[in-house]
Amino acid sequence: MGELFIIVISSMLVSNVVLSQFLGICPFLGVSKKVETAAGMGIAVTFVITIACAITYPVQYAILEPLGLDFLQTIAFILIIAALVQFVEMALKKFMPALHASLGVYLPLITTNCAVLGVAINNISDGYNFIESVVCGFFTAIGFLIAIVILAGIRERIDHNDVPNAFKGTPIVLVTASLMAIAFCGFAGLV
């Protein structure tokens, strides 16, 4: 149980996929203009990463390794992730059309989100068992959700403040993300 707790804290805060590993920067910066949209993207990514970790583990150990096809790991994982994203996109389009429209092009880009693929591959390379892999995937995605919602909240507040012309737009967002990354380094002492 202690090992799972360490995985939870490490995945979510210490080794935050966006702020520490710098994976998934595109949706992190692109969809973080409004808290509602950022939360929707975070939930979609959480679903995809968690299910991807649950599916890629047995694919790796039941199909790829026994058949000596380890070299196809990246391709197989990308295909699994692409199928999951299509499922999420269809579900959002049917049940939450407003969120689907607000996510726009960033929803299909979850397929190429390096955070999703990175977590699945890291779980295998770290030697996690099935439960540890799914827990790591879920809490890594929760860490992504936390980071993107915090950035969106800060960006909403920045819009109502006086920002020097040189920092308006992307520069202030990058400075903010950098400061968040530095702040998350403070969690390193937890594990």
Side-chain angles (χ1 to χ4, degrees), residues 67-174:
L67 296 176
L69 300 173
D70 291 344
F71 61 92
L72 292 176
Q73 179 189 54
T74 303
I75 294 169
F77 287 10
I78 288 172
L79 291 173
I80 291 166
I81 292 164
L84 287 170
V85 170
Q86 288 302 312
F87 172 72
V88 169
E89 186 172 15
M90 288 186 301
L92 284 178
K93 191 172 187 176
K94 181 172 180 147
F95 299 112
M96 299 178 194
L99 178 59
H100 180 267
S102 67
L103 290 175
V105 70
Y106 291 101
L107 187 59
L109 284 178
I110 294 175
T111 302
T112 58
N113 185 344
C114 53
V116 180
L117 180 61
V119 171
I121 289 175
N122 283 343
N123 286 343
I124 300 298
S125 65
D126 289 344
Y128 289 155
N129 63 32
F130 180 76
I131 299 297
E132 292 170 340
S133 182
V134 173
V135 167
C136 179
F138 177 75
F139 284 101
T140 297
I142 294 297
F144 177 85
L145 174 67
I146 290 168
I148 197 169
V149 168
I150 289 172
L151 182 63
I154 294 170
R155 285 182 75 174
E156 283 183 356
R157 297 215 38 186
I158 287 173
D159 288 344
H160 302 298
N161 290 318
D162 189 26
V163 176
N165 286 337
F167 284 101
K168 285 189 177 176
T170 304
I172 194 68
V173 174
L174 293 175

